[in-house]
Amino acid sequence: MTGGQLLLNGLAAFLTLCIFSFLYRDNPFYKFAERLVAGVATGYWTMLLFHTNFVPVVWNRLAHDGRYEYIIPTMLGLMMWTRFSKKWSWVSRYSIAFYIGISSGITITLSLYASLFRQLEATINQPLTFDAAGISSFLIIVGVLSALVYFFFSAAHKGSMGVISRIGIYVIMIGFGAGFGMTVMGRIALLVQRVIFLRGYVNSLTAFFGG
Amino acid sequence: MKREIPLMIVMVTGIIMFLQYFFPGRFLFIPFISSEKLFEFLNDWVMVIGILSLPLGIWSLLKANVNKLKAADERFYSAILLMGFLVMVISGWMPEWRTKGVHLAIFQSVLIPIQSTIFSLLAFFVASAAYRAFRARSVLATILLLTAFIIMMRFIPMGPISDINNWLVEKILMVPNMAAKRAIAMGIALGATATAIKIILGIERTYMGRD
């Protein structure tokens, strides 16, 4: 490992410890790392979006491809800057209107197709046989329906509705539990990775100085 | 004029984007308008308006932190944020600079370590949240934590018990977890669709702000 790499890894190790110091309490080291990452992340995403969105979609199309129809959305985008002025900020509503209108129109078909119809199809389109796979399919159907009943508030959750919605909330809790377990393990994996990094850095430091 | 025209724009663009899905090929049977091209073009509008709105956020962040430079207790941290931002923007100005040199070094030695450490910190907070939830001693909390416990045990080698646990985890993930996730996805899809329809019809207008 070169001196430069060691220095950069030292910076990474220092910042890692700065963030871990929050476990004690909020302190200047944590604040330093927090603000640094806020600035660096903003700068990183700004340049990423500049090179991957602005240059190919706006600049290249107008300046190189001669697609002058892109002047309209560019003007709409620039109209957003009227928000800097209290007097003219209403002009930005036109841009927001296009943004919201187009997005809403897409959302209807996209969410209905991907998250409703495809999920319904996957739930219904399963064989109900008298084996393990069939029982699983049946339980998935019961689970989906009962969980949907739990979210259905147009009828009181009493009697049979109450029983079904009770099953529904149990199913949902199992789903949340699974998600929770996965999240915890993901975080633990990250923690292990950071600890391994710190140990590796100490080892490389020792090796560099001939320890 | 300040509100009516934006509402009209939202309605017209929303309906166009909704209808284009049902007219593959020629939009509304009009010979010279391709639905696919229309979708692509209007989708680009969203991207262009979005990317040109980015300076608003950057300006807001910079302004807030430049103002904080006057406050003695915040001066250092705001300067760090501004410096991090400027260094990333300048070092990533040219596309080829983004994959080497200072920009890449800061990305690897500052951004990645801090972000992964912040996420690994959540392991501690999630564990403490789980402890508090478990103290609630309700049936639902117990189901949630028992499921999470079984899922987490999958990552621990326990000899022959691991086989039983792995089988149980697979069943939990493939049956009740899937049922819950599907029901939630369907609920989200219905909610998103209802909200989009309300926006297109002008019932939901909060996005326009106040006069």
Side-chain angles (χ1 to χ4, degrees):
Chain A
M1 189 177 276
T2 63
Q5 282 172 325
L6 199 71
L7 211 64
L8 285 174
N9 281 357
L11 177 67
F14 170 70
L15 292 170
T16 301
L17 292 173
C18 284
I19 296 291
F20 276 140
S21 70
F22 188 73
L23 287 171
Y24 171 58
R25 68 179 184 194
D26 197 7
N27 62 76
F29 289 105
Y30 176 76
K31 274 187 187 167
F32 165 76
E34 187 194 35
R35 299 297 171 90
L36 182 65
V37 78
V40 167
T42 311
Y44 174 76
W45 281 102
T46 301
M47 293 327 290
L48 186 75
L49 291 171
F50 178 77
H51 289 298
T52 57
N53 282 20
F54 179 78
V55 173
V57 182
V58 184
W59 183 254
N60 285 351
R61 284 186 180 162
L62 284 173
H64 301 300
D65 303 343
R67 295 185 66 178
Y68 299 114
E69 69 269 25
Y70 277 84
I71 286 175
I72 307 166
T74 306
M75 290 307 294
L76 286 169
L78 293 174
M79 277 159 67
M80 283 296 290
W81 297 6
T82 58
R83 291 190 80 82
F84 290 127
S85 152
K86 275 184 184 170
K87 190 182 172 187
W88 295 100
S89 66
W90 61 271
V91 176
S92 66
R93 278 188 195 149
Y94 287 75
S95 317
I96 295 171
F98 275 103
Y99 191 96
I100 297 278
I102 295 166
S103 308
S104 301
I106 295 172
T107 300
I108 295 175
T109 49
L110 197 71
S111 60
L112 281 182
Y113 176 73
S115 301
L116 187 66
F117 298 144
R118 290 300 300 269
Q119 297 297 332
L120 266 177
E121 186 190 352
T123 307
I124 296 165
N125 203 9
Q126 292 194 57
L128 286 175
T129 48
F130 286 101
D131 56 4
I135 293 165
S136 291
S137 302
F138 175 74
L139 288 175
I140 288 173
I141 293 169
V142 170
V144 171
L145 289 176
S146 53
L148 285 174
V149 165
Y150 177 75
F151 290 117
F152 185 72
F153 299 112
S154 295
H157 288 185
K158 288 175 184 170
S160 56
M161 278 287 281
V163 174
I164 296 168
S165 75
R166 195 76 191 153
I167 296 168
I169 187 64
Y170 288 153
V171 170
I172 291 166
M173 281 300 153
I174 293 173
F176 285 161
F180 180 76
M182 294 288 201
T183 307
V184 170
M185 291 319 291
R187 303 290 188 242
I188 295 284
L190 276 172
L191 181 64
V192 170
Q193 182 239 331
R194 293 321 300 159
V195 172
I196 289 172
F197 168 76
L198 287 175
R199 194 185 64 176
Y201 176 68
V202 171
N203 287 344
S204 58
L205 209 61
T206 316
F208 188 79
F209 290 107
Chain B
M1 283 287 279
K2 288 180 182 176
R3 297 181 83 90
E4 288 75 9
I5 293 178
L7 280 173
M8 288 266 288
I9 292 170
V10 168
M11 184 178 274
V12 171
T13 50
I15 290 171
I16 287 173
M17 288 310 273
F18 174 71
L19 287 179
Q20 61 77 29
Y21 182 79
F22 299 98
F23 291 89
R26 299 286 155 219
F27 178 67
L28 292 175
F29 306 117
I30 301 168
F32 51 87
I33 302 178
S34 156
S35 284
E36 288 75 20
K37 290 259 171 68
L38 185 74
F39 176 83
E40 194 187 320
F41 182 49
L42 287 180
N43 212 13
D44 279 350
W45 283 36
V46 171
M47 205 188 283
V48 173
I49 295 169
I51 191 70
L52 288 172
S53 306
L54 188 69
L56 289 176
I58 295 168
W59 172 257
S60 175
L61 181 81
L62 295 181
K63 195 179 164 192
N65 280 282
V66 166
N67 287 341
K68 278 184 188 173
L69 286 175
K70 292 167 196 159
D73 54 336
E74 286 289 322
R75 186 175 297 144
F76 173 69
Y77 304 115
S78 292
I80 289 292
L81 187 146
L82 293 169
M83 201 179 69
F85 172 75
L86 287 174
V87 167
M88 282 310 264
V89 168
I90 294 164
S91 64
W93 190 254
M94 297 304 286
E96 61 272 16
W97 293 356
R98 288 181 52 241
T99 50
K100 61 183 179 188
V102 178
H103 196 79
L104 186 67
I106 294 176
F107 176 75
Q108 287 174 336
S109 305
V110 175
L111 202 58
I112 297 284
I114 295 184
Q115 285 189 341
S116 57
T117 313
I118 288 173
F119 279 111
S120 76
L121 262 191
L122 289 180
F124 295 99
F125 297 112
V126 163
S128 90
Y131 171 70
R132 271 173 290 181
F134 203 58
R135 278 197 311 183
R137 292 174 196 276
S138 70
V139 178
L140 295 175
T142 310
I143 290 173
L144 188 148
L145 283 155
L146 198 66
T147 312
F149 183 74
I150 293 166
I151 297 283
M152 286 190 276
M153 291 299 275
R154 185 175 61 155
F155 296 92
I156 301 165
M158 295 180 296
I161 301 169
S162 282
D163 295 335
I164 302 164
N165 194 58
N166 286 347
W167 176 85
L168 193 60
V169 167
E170 194 193 327
K171 290 295 162 199
I172 287 172
L173 290 180
M174 296 308 289
V175 182
N177 175 58
M178 190 183 285
K181 295 285 178 337
R182 275 187 187 160
I184 290 166
M186 286 176 196
I188 291 170
L190 289 170
T193 306
T195 308
I197 291 170
K198 277 168 74 179
I199 288 171
I200 289 170
L201 295 179
I203 299 164
E204 171 67 54
R205 303 176 183 190
T206 45
Y207 61 87
M208 283 209 288
R210 291 177 190 161
D211 278 322

